[in-house]
Amino acid sequence: MKDKRAGMSLVEIIVAMVIIAIATIASFQFLVHCDKFVIMADNKVAAANFAREIMEDYYQEDYDDLAVGSHSVSIAALASRLHNGTGSYEIGSEKTESATSTKYKVITVKVGWDP
């Protein structure tokens, strides 16, 4: 006498294939989301490094040599998937803190990415 439960029916195989297909589609969507997140993180790291480099360049400069005004710099892509960016920084005019009569200039750094 043959056991009727020995194999799988066609319906069971189709249900398993549908479940595998849904899991595969969800995995690809998650992969695309993770890739976008990594690109965003790489861009933020590049922007932070650009700002740090600007500040390090001016750290050793003589205070009177800091040229007031706007400056623009091109930021090369770090990897093939990153876009080229443009960075700009502005050195503000001299300000004096009234309590201590300390003179200072503010450096503002901005970074943008080409689409």
Side-chain angles (χ1 to χ4, degrees), residues 93-112:
S93 59
E94 186 174 277
K95 298 179 181 182
T96 305
E97 190 176 295
S98 59
T100 60
S101 298
T102 303
K103 295 181 182 180
Y104 63 94
K105 294 179 183 176
V106 176
I107 299 176
T108 306
V109 178
K110 295 179 183 177
V111 177

Side-chain angles (χ1 to χ4, degrees), residues 39-40 42-43 46-47 74-86 111-115:
I39 290 172
M40 251 183 3
D42 287 346
N43 286 346
S74 176
I75 302 173
L78 296 178
S80 60
R81 64 183 175 182
L82 293 179
H83 301 293
N84 287 328
T86 54
V111 177
W113 301 105
D114 300 332

Side-chain angles (χ1 to χ4, degrees), residues 22-86:
I22 291 172
T24 303
I25 291 170
S27 298
F28 281 125
Q29 288 179 345
F30 180 72
L31 179 66
V32 168
H33 174 72
C34 288
D35 193 45
K36 287 180 184 178
F37 178 75
V38 167
I39 290 172
M40 251 183 3
D42 287 346
N43 286 346
K44 287 180 181 180
V45 167
N49 285 341
F50 172 73
R52 182 186 44 78
E53 287 173 12
I54 295 298
M55 299 311 288
E56 286 178 357
D57 288 346
Y58 284 110
Y59 182 72
Q60 299 296 329
E61 290 285 325
D62 187 36
Y63 179 79
D64 294 327
D65 291 342
L66 293 178
V68 175
S70 296
H71 309 279
S72 183
V73 178
S74 176
I75 302 173
L78 296 178
S80 60
R81 64 183 175 182
L82 293 179
H83 301 293
N84 287 328
T86 54

